[in-house]
Amino acid sequence: MSAPHEHAVQLRWSDPDSLGHVNHARALSLIEDARLAMAEGAPGDRGLILARLEVDYLRQLYYRVGERLCVRSTVTLLGTKSLTLRQELVQDDEVAIRASVVMVLFDFATDTSRAMTDDERAHWSRFIES
């Protein structure tokens, strides 16, 4: 049974501007943290690189002391050498940021993309949206 990956993130005191709104680039680091957590336990050398990032900022994100937010991540496409994720950062039960992310499996020794192994495919298949 597949399910979204959920990862709790903590906003940092340095994330907001003077009005209390979280900076757009700082929010992307929270989404990246969730991707790294999602990759934990993946077989192989974990050679994944970011190839594409498309972001929709749907509502303002506010800094509140001690508040933990959730990033929900699902695999929307498993290719031969890449995978596509949809990631949503949620605050107040509403999606504040939605990202579409393409990750490419990469062999740093040869400096080229590589095919996904069966074990890697099994790992990422756990997060395919149903």
Side-chain angles (χ1 to χ4, degrees):
M1 184 72 167
S2 58
H5 179 270
E6 293 190 350
H7 182 71
V9 293
Q10 177 75 50
L11 292 171
R12 297 164 298 245
W13 181 82
S14 60
D15 290 342
D17 60 19
S18 62
L19 298 175
H21 305 130
V22 175
N23 178 280
H24 67 281
R26 299 286 183 124
L28 293 180
S29 70
L30 299 172
I31 292 171
E32 179 183 31
D33 289 348
R35 277 196 309 277
L36 293 172
M38 192 179 193
E40 294 233 352
D45 65 1
R46 300 199 325 191
L48 280 173
I49 60 171
L50 180 72
R52 178 175 168 75
L53 174 64
E54 183 177 333
V55 182
D56 292 312
Y57 295 92
L58 303 172
R59 62 187 292 269
Q60 292 192 54
L61 195 58
Y62 296 97
Y63 173 75
R64 298 178 190 127
V65 175
E67 181 181 26
R68 293 184 64 80
L69 306 178
C70 179
V71 178
R72 289 189 306 244
S73 304
T74 56
V75 173
T76 59
L77 180 65
L78 268 179
T80 303
K81 296 182 174 187
S82 67
L83 59 128
T84 303
L85 305 174
R86 182 180 59 241
Q87 294 188 277
E88 297 177 333
L89 178 59
V90 178
Q91 185 177 54
D92 300 329
D93 296 321
E94 292 185 46
V95 176
I97 298 171
R98 180 175 296 127
S100 177
V101 181
V102 177
M103 304 294 295
V104 173
L105 289 98
F106 200 77
D107 182 338
F108 290 97
T110 61
D111 201 31
T112 58
S113 61
R114 63 173 179 82
M116 188 178 305
T117 67
D118 290 341
D119 288 341
E120 288 170 327
R121 185 168 299 283
H123 172 83
W124 294 106
S125 292
R126 299 181 310 157
F127 308 114
I128 292 176
E129 63 182 345
S130 325

